[in-house]
Amino acid sequence: MKEAAMKFDIEKIRADFPVLTRKVHGKDLVFLDSAASSQKPKQVVEAISNYYLYEHANIHRGVHLLSQEATSKYEDARKKVASFINAKNDHECIITKGTTDGINLVASSLGEHCVNEGDEVIISHMEHHSNLVPWQMLCERKKAKLKVIPITDDGELDLEEYEKLLSEKTKIVSVVHVSNTLGTINPVEEMIEKAHDVGAYFVVDGAQAVPHIPVDVQQLNCDFYAFSLHKMYGPTGIGILYGKESIMNAMPPYQGGGDMINKVTLEKTTYNDLPHKFEAGTPNIAGGIGMGATIDYINEIDWKAAHEFEAEVMDYAHKKLSEIEDLRFIGTAEKKTGAISFLVGQIHPYDMGVLLDQLGIAVRTGHHCTQPILERYNIPGTVRASFGIYSTKQEVDQLVQGVERAKRMLG
Amino acid sequence: MSKTINELQDEVIEDFSLFDDWMDKYEQIIEFGKELEPLEEDKKVEENLVKGCQSRVWLIPEDENGVLRFKADSDALISKGIIGLLLKILSGHKAEEISSAELYALDEIGLKEHLSPNRANGLANMVKKIKMYALAHQAKD
């Protein structure tokens, strides 16, 4: 075992997540659905609860103490998350409702700024619907073309095809960093460089990456990077859209309202500076404060050791699951993290999911909002086990026993 | 004389009373699916699908001398079992008996309560589709 993983105190971590002690259908909960949404440590929940009980006031406008305190906590959270992803400036981190919201913002505003009739936008075949539909909508609106990078049988992007798709017509490339269905880690850094060579902007859907691998937006040199806090032990309804300052300054605002303005007359409005230009209306203040507490939590535990521990659990799961007869993995990329999708013989994933639930094991079944992937592999869905910093090898063993038992009933 | 809908419901309740554990109940549900009359492949089309199920469930009615019989299938065994359970109770009766039937067995065996809202919705849609067919059939008479 690696030194860092040895140091990692899994029992201490699990004690931070009270939900893990729950019984489900009379059995110990085995929570393997963190890719859909992770559980929350009590430190984050307490921060939100304290804010509502003792600290609540609207932010950015009040002269009174409560408002000033809430404002500085909210803005501190932005600073913390900016430093967490190594953004050059805090104001390059737009606080959103989540990844979907962030991608819609870019598709709408950057799309308005740079996509015209006949231009091209590139996505991949493994995108979550949230990084597909907004671009389809943009292309329909602008009479632009949506091009799709194919995937190999292993579930990796076909990079040769990607290079062929790139041209001076390409205005935006938007690709998922880690696939929520296949678990594939895509080589976005080299893809970004190639997109920049033809003058295209590069957007990264980082929803499944930020919880599992280190993300440094300056090193990636991406133009935009969107993610959600609720998949990384934070609250729901809050996320970050990182964007380069110069590009975002040139983009038109997304939504109009309070906070995003500089001066309003009945004839004309001038807009506020970044990040407020893209943050109309009273934000999710509690979510923002929860975001700050989430980053504090991550900084407090050994994040690197947690990732190494998680990777070990995932390797173990691959090994143990592969010993089940007739089990096949959907997504066998060389570099994977977070999620393992599989099918057993002809068993419908729904049946497997229902019986595993009965045994206290929470997995996801279905299309995982990636219907084009299912079409690509001609399957009705997958069973997906996904992991978090609190996942253990014992839980993997329980999953394997559960799959064996369900298989006997359904075979 | 064939059994009434309520006699069949009581039989199902008795079958389930043997089990405490839901894994065993599911085993029984899967068995009900196996008892279904097979559905022809060409009937497994969009218009025969029951909406709102996580798996695909097809259902068709057949009129046999004033008695409505249903055929159904699903690509998932548990869904097939649930529709099998419903048809065990509701198939083979007069249309008006089917449309006016009160399905107390589903509550009694705890199935409704046991299913997540998503899946309970699928179950409700199965019942609705069976009753719709029965009502449409009555209207024709």
Side-chain angles (χ1 to χ4, degrees):
Chain A
M1 203 188 278
K2 285 175 196 144
E3 198 192 329
M6 254 167 68
K7 235 175 25 187
F8 183 70
D9 187 349
I10 183 70
E11 286 313 318
K12 189 165 173 282
I13 294 290
R14 285 180 70 86
D16 290 335
F17 295 83
V19 70
L20 299 176
T21 60
R22 259 196 76 164
K23 298 266 182 203
V24 168
H25 303 302
K27 310 272 184 351
D28 289 334
L29 169 66
V30 174
F31 187 75
L32 294 173
D33 194 21
S34 291
S37 195
S38 70
Q39 297 299 344
K40 322 299 172 203
K42 52 182 191 254
Q43 290 86 336
V44 169
V45 179
E46 279 161 12
I48 294 169
S49 152
N50 274 332
Y51 160 72
Y52 272 132
L53 291 174
Y54 306 110
E55 301 162 352
H56 172 73
N58 207 339
I59 58 170
H60 291 152
R61 283 177 288 268
V63 291
H64 58 82
L65 181 73
L66 280 182
S67 174
Q68 286 171 19
E69 279 178 359
T71 304
S72 63
K73 267 205 166 174
Y74 187 81
E75 289 304 327
D76 276 351
R78 190 194 309 274
K79 285 186 193 128
K80 286 173 190 170
V81 78
S83 139
F84 176 67
I85 58 168
N86 195 30
K88 201 167 165 190
N89 303 293
D90 303 340
H91 57 256
E92 290 178 314
C93 291
I94 309 298
I95 299 178
T96 63
K97 288 189 284 184
T99 310
T100 303
D101 190 33
I103 293 171
N104 274 281
L105 192 165
V106 190
S108 172
S109 176
L110 181 68
E112 198 54 49
H113 173 63
C114 73
V115 176
N116 293 301
E117 189 171 342
D119 286 343
E120 292 176 0
V121 173
I122 298 177
I123 58 164
S124 87
H125 204 138
M126 66 170 82
E127 299 311 317
H128 189 283
H129 297 161
S130 63
N131 194 32
L132 192 169
V133 183
W135 301 112
Q136 260 175 357
M137 288 160 68
L138 169 72
C139 288
E140 270 172 32
R141 204 164 63 235
K142 292 282 187 174
K143 298 194 176 73
K145 264 194 201 142
L146 190 64
K147 299 276 183 171
V148 181
I149 310 164
I151 45 180
T152 66
D153 290 343
D154 281 334
E156 294 180 344
L157 292 179
D158 186 333
L159 296 178
E160 275 178 36
E161 286 301 314
Y162 168 56
E163 284 190 51
K164 284 186 209 157
L165 290 176
L166 286 168
S167 74
E168 73 286 353
K169 284 188 191 162
T170 314
K171 297 298 170 210
I172 303 171
V173 180
S174 189
V175 169
V176 70
H177 198 169
V178 171
S179 161
N180 68 313
T181 300
L182 305 167
T184 312
I185 305 175
N186 289 318
V188 287
E189 195 170 342
E190 59 172 284
M191 294 175 77
I192 289 166
E193 205 180 324
K194 295 207 164 94
H196 286 165
D197 286 345
V198 298
Y201 295 115
F202 203 104
V203 183
V204 183
D205 167 0
Q208 300 291 341
V210 181
H212 303 291
I213 55 177
V215 172
D216 178 331
V217 290
Q218 289 192 71
Q219 192 193 321
L220 288 176
N221 196 21
C222 52
D223 301 300
F224 295 89
Y225 197 102
F227 59 99
S228 301
L229 264 293
H230 77 93
K231 294 194 196 283
M232 49 185 289
Y233 317 106
T236 53
I238 195 109
I240 289 289
L241 174 69
Y242 159 83
K244 283 183 182 159
E245 181 178 22
S246 57
I247 306 170
M248 287 204 290
N249 275 334
M251 280 158 51
Y254 176 46
Q255 291 175 327
D259 244 17
M260 56 79 73
I261 52 95
N262 179 27
K263 184 172 169 55
V264 179
T265 66
L266 290 176
E267 291 75 33
K268 173 84 188 154
T269 295
T270 55
Y271 303 116
N272 205 338
D273 295 331
L274 289 174
H276 308 296
K277 171 178 161 185
F278 290 111
E279 296 180 352
T282 293
N284 177 0
I285 308 168
I289 285 168
M291 170 167 77
T294 306
I295 303 297
D296 287 344
Y297 181 77
I298 285 172
N299 289 337
E300 220 167 86
I301 66 172
D302 187 338
W303 191 231
K304 189 166 171 271
H307 285 160
E308 283 172 13
F309 187 84
E310 199 182 276
E312 244 179 60
V313 171
M314 186 147 153
D315 284 348
Y316 182 75
H318 269 120
K319 182 173 160 282
K320 285 289 170 182
L321 286 167
S322 69
E323 289 166 7
I324 296 174
E325 205 180 329
D326 293 335
L327 183 143
R328 65 186 201 280
F329 296 109
I330 309 299
T332 47
E334 204 177 305
K335 288 185 179 163
K336 281 174 74 174
T337 187
I340 299 178
S341 265
F342 62 90
L343 287 169
V344 183
Q346 294 302 309
I347 295 173
H348 197 284
Y350 165 82
D351 287 331
M352 182 63 78
V354 169
L355 295 183
L356 289 176
D357 170 56
Q358 225 31 247
L359 299 169
I361 303 163
V363 294
R364 196 76 156 182
T365 63
H367 57 61
H368 319 300
C369 295
T370 55
Q371 288 178 3
I373 292 184
L374 304 188
E375 203 183 323
R376 163 72 174 75
Y377 294 106
N378 193 25
I379 48 176
T382 77
V383 182
R384 183 188 70 184
S386 58
F387 305 87
I389 53 172
Y390 37 65
S391 302
T392 65
K393 288 184 185 174
Q394 276 138 292
E395 289 181 310
V396 170
D397 289 337
Q398 280 165 283
L399 169 70
V400 169
Q401 284 163 16
V403 171
E404 291 279 16
R405 180 155 175 206
K407 192 183 151 200
R408 282 196 298 275
M409 276 175 70
L410 299 163
Chain B
M1 177 94 185
S2 59
K3 290 172 185 159
T4 66
I5 287 179
N6 284 359
E7 281 167 354
L8 289 162
Q9 295 205 77
D10 294 339
E11 272 185 24
V12 166
I13 293 168
E14 205 181 315
D15 283 348
F16 274 82
S17 69
L18 301 171
F19 311 117
D20 297 326
D21 190 287
W22 262 97
M23 284 303 265
D24 299 329
K25 291 188 189 181
Y26 275 119
E27 203 121 34
Q28 176 65 55
I29 287 172
I30 293 166
E31 283 305 312
F32 287 142
K34 290 180 186 160
E35 291 168 14
L36 277 171
E37 272 183 71
L39 181 69
E40 299 82 1
E41 283 304 312
D42 61 353
K43 298 280 166 41
K44 295 180 186 175
V45 291
E46 183 82 27
E47 58 176 287
N48 294 330
L49 274 179
V50 180
K51 291 196 173 61
C53 298
Q54 278 197 28
S55 52
R56 291 183 298 171
V57 178
W58 301 272
L59 175 74
I60 59 156
E62 277 172 5
D63 180 3
E64 221 172 74
N65 307 322
V67 163
L68 264 189
R69 277 190 200 289
F70 292 88
K71 283 184 175 174
D73 201 356
S74 171
D75 51 4
L77 293 182
I78 291 173
S79 307
K80 188 173 173 176
I82 291 175
I83 191 82
L85 161 67
L86 287 175
L87 294 188
K88 191 181 171 68
I89 296 170
L90 290 172
S91 187
H93 305 278
K94 292 202 173 83
E96 55 270 26
E97 289 169 355
I98 297 171
S99 64
S100 64
E102 198 198 317
L103 284 171
Y104 57 85
L106 301 181
D107 281 322
E108 196 80 15
I109 63 174
L111 184 65
K112 243 195 222 165
E113 184 194 348
H114 181 79
L115 296 176
S116 65
N118 258 342
R119 288 156 52 206
N121 193 25
L123 170 68
N125 286 343
M126 289 181 200
V127 174
K128 204 159 124 193
K129 191 152 177 133
I130 294 170
K131 291 206 167 193
M132 287 295 281
Y133 276 130
L135 280 171
H137 198 267
Q138 270 170 272
K140 259 194 296 184
D141 289 343

